[in-house]
Amino acid sequence: MEPYDALVAIEVFEAATRAFDCLKDDLASPDADAMAHHQLEELIASRGRELQRLLLQARLDLRARREREAKTQAGVVLGADGQVRRYRECGHRRELACVFGTVTVERCAWRGRKMSCVHPADAALSLPAGRHSHGLLRLAVTEAVRGSYDQARAAIEDRCGKVLGKRQAQGLVVTAASDIDAFYRNKVPLPATADTLLVIQADGKGIPMRPEALRPATLKNLNNARRAMRTRLAPGEKPNRKRMATLACVFDAAPAVRRPHDIIAPPEGRSDRRTRRPGPKAKAKWLTASVTEAPENVIAAAFEQAEARDAGHHRPWIVLVDGARHQLDLIRTEAARRQVAVHVLLDFVHVTEYAWGAAHAFHPVGTPEAETWVAGHLTTILHGQAARAAAEITEQADKAGLAGAKREAADKCVRYLTGHLDQLHYDTALAKGWPIATGAIEGACRHLIGDRLDVTGARWGLAGAEAVLKLRAVKDNDDLDTYLDFHLAREHERLYPTPDQHNYKLTA
């Protein structure tokens, strides 16, 4: 049988062999001498892709021939439902679009009375439920999380030919994101020492959506809006086109002790006698995001990740927020539910913005006096004396007789400080080496949403926005390849479920 098998294999691969010989002859011909190197690249790329397709087709044909000629006519196939199929029927074909082009998969079907067919070859080859291969799924995900779907389609067509349309790519991406939550539930984070900081940050950012994907309240505002102008929004008007996504991140950091002047330079500038100390550096960062889940679920997922890193609550837990009351309430509720002590700090950058708003009530914009005013009050706040800074701003506003918009800017800063005094203990944070800014989550908002989901002209459906957002978070966690392996394994289990971990059992 071995010589026969060898002859069969040679015969099946004959088309691929001819294609290779033709390409080889063309490259060796005198006409190739006149071709520039980029023309040779294009020739080999286009003809080489067809050669690869023929090789894959030949391998599938060889497998189909061996399946047809196998002496199993007297056997039976046991399906995933435990029922026996005794009758074999050859010649069943299906198309498979792959990274080389489209191939045809021929396989045998096993039947039983009043039972669905089973195809053992489908499970052995781990064929997808649809027409597109797992290789195309990986490529579609890689390109779609990087740029627009039009760009993804063009990149795939340039590499693989016309095997995938825009809507088909969208469907593959949505399917590919279905196991992200399960993946992270099964992923064990690396351990860290008890003195390593465990930092949690959360924020929200809007994604422009199609009307049917908006939340009911936003859609109602959109439908009831009376626009002052027909061609553009008037000052103060909101387009009511966005749905808020919630993002959270968890990371480890070694403590880095600092002083207030490491954060804010004194009015006379820094001296060369003291080197500025750097802040804590994030490592092992993990991101999660969702536009469909409620904010409390995203925050709960962040706490779950944190607890996986520190199940015994031995490490210092630092939570940084921008001051939104609903976020603070959710964080406190989740911490109480898990019985973990958290140190909540307000993002110092937000405090700085409020201080600058108040400074412009006293001094002209862009003047050294405004900068000196801000530096002085922020230094007071960094020393843990936010209440004193608020009182000084109020007293100064009274003495200056501020009114109208200027008084409102000063009072707004005072209200922000006095309303969050319990989250402004920066003196303790700096002495213990904790971070005091939400740079990680702010950067994630810009990267995950701003660079992809909030581009000019974008309008998203709910499923597509959620899939791209989650997959971009997975990619930012450096888990995309590992996750896709996990997803494809889960997809195989869903398509070909068996109680004994074998797809189909062939018995004589």
Short mmCIF file of all heavy atoms in Angstrom, two decimals, residues 209-214 219 460-461:
data_model
loop_
_atom_site.label_atom_id
_atom_site.label_comp_id
_atom_site.label_asym_id
_atom_site.label_seq_id
_atom_site.Cartn_x
_atom_site.Cartn_y
_atom_site.Cartn_z
N MET A 209 -22.79 56.72 18.56
CA MET A 209 -23.59 55.54 18.22
C MET A 209 -24.67 55.88 17.20
O MET A 209 -25.10 57.04 17.06
CB MET A 209 -24.25 54.96 19.48
CG MET A 209 -23.33 54.75 20.67
SD MET A 209 -22.07 53.49 20.43
CE MET A 209 -23.05 52.00 20.50
N ARG A 210 -25.13 54.86 16.52
CA ARG A 210 -26.34 55.02 15.71
C ARG A 210 -27.54 55.17 16.64
O ARG A 210 -27.51 54.69 17.79
CB ARG A 210 -26.50 53.82 14.78
CG ARG A 210 -25.41 53.72 13.73
CD ARG A 210 -25.82 52.79 12.59
NE ARG A 210 -25.91 51.42 13.04
CZ ARG A 210 -24.93 50.53 12.96
NH1 ARG A 210 -23.74 50.89 12.49
NH2 ARG A 210 -25.10 49.29 13.37
N PRO A 211 -28.61 55.82 16.18
CA PRO A 211 -29.74 56.09 17.09
C PRO A 211 -30.28 54.87 17.80
O PRO A 211 -30.60 54.93 19.00
CB PRO A 211 -30.80 56.70 16.15
CG PRO A 211 -30.00 57.33 15.07
CD PRO A 211 -28.80 56.44 14.86
N GLU A 212 -30.37 53.73 17.12
CA GLU A 212 -30.94 52.54 17.76
C GLU A 212 -30.05 51.96 18.84
O GLU A 212 -30.50 51.13 19.65
CB GLU A 212 -31.23 51.46 16.70
CG GLU A 212 -30.00 50.85 16.04
CD GLU A 212 -29.50 51.61 14.83
OE1 GLU A 212 -29.99 52.76 14.63
OE2 GLU A 212 -28.66 51.08 14.09
N ALA A 213 -28.79 52.39 18.90
CA ALA A 213 -27.86 51.87 19.91
C ALA A 213 -27.71 52.80 21.11
O ALA A 213 -27.00 52.47 22.06
CB ALA A 213 -26.49 51.63 19.28
N LEU A 214 -28.38 53.95 21.09
CA LEU A 214 -28.30 54.87 22.21
C LEU A 214 -29.13 54.36 23.39
O LEU A 214 -30.09 53.60 23.22
CB LEU A 214 -28.81 56.25 21.80
CG LEU A 214 -27.98 57.00 20.73
CD1 LEU A 214 -28.72 58.23 20.28
CD2 LEU A 214 -26.61 57.36 21.28
N LEU A 219 -31.62 58.79 23.61
CA LEU A 219 -32.45 58.77 22.40
C LEU A 219 -33.64 59.72 22.54
O LEU A 219 -34.02 60.41 21.59
CB LEU A 219 -32.92 57.34 22.13
CG LEU A 219 -33.78 57.14 20.88
CD1 LEU A 219 -33.00 57.56 19.63
CD2 LEU A 219 -34.23 55.69 20.76
N TRP A 460 -21.56 53.87 15.51
CA TRP A 460 -21.42 52.45 15.83
C TRP A 460 -22.75 51.81 16.21
O TRP A 460 -23.60 52.45 16.81
CB TRP A 460 -20.43 52.27 16.98
CG TRP A 460 -19.02 52.60 16.62
CD1 TRP A 460 -18.42 53.82 16.66
CD2 TRP A 460 -18.04 51.69 16.13
NE1 TRP A 460 -17.12 53.73 16.23
CE2 TRP A 460 -16.86 52.44 15.90
CE3 TRP A 460 -18.04 50.32 15.88
CZ2 TRP A 460 -15.69 51.85 15.43
CZ3 TRP A 460 -16.88 49.74 15.40
CH2 TRP A 460 -15.73 50.49 15.18
N GLY A 461 -22.87 50.55 15.87
CA GLY A 461 -23.89 49.71 16.46
C GLY A 461 -23.39 49.17 17.78
O GLY A 461 -22.18 49.17 18.06
#
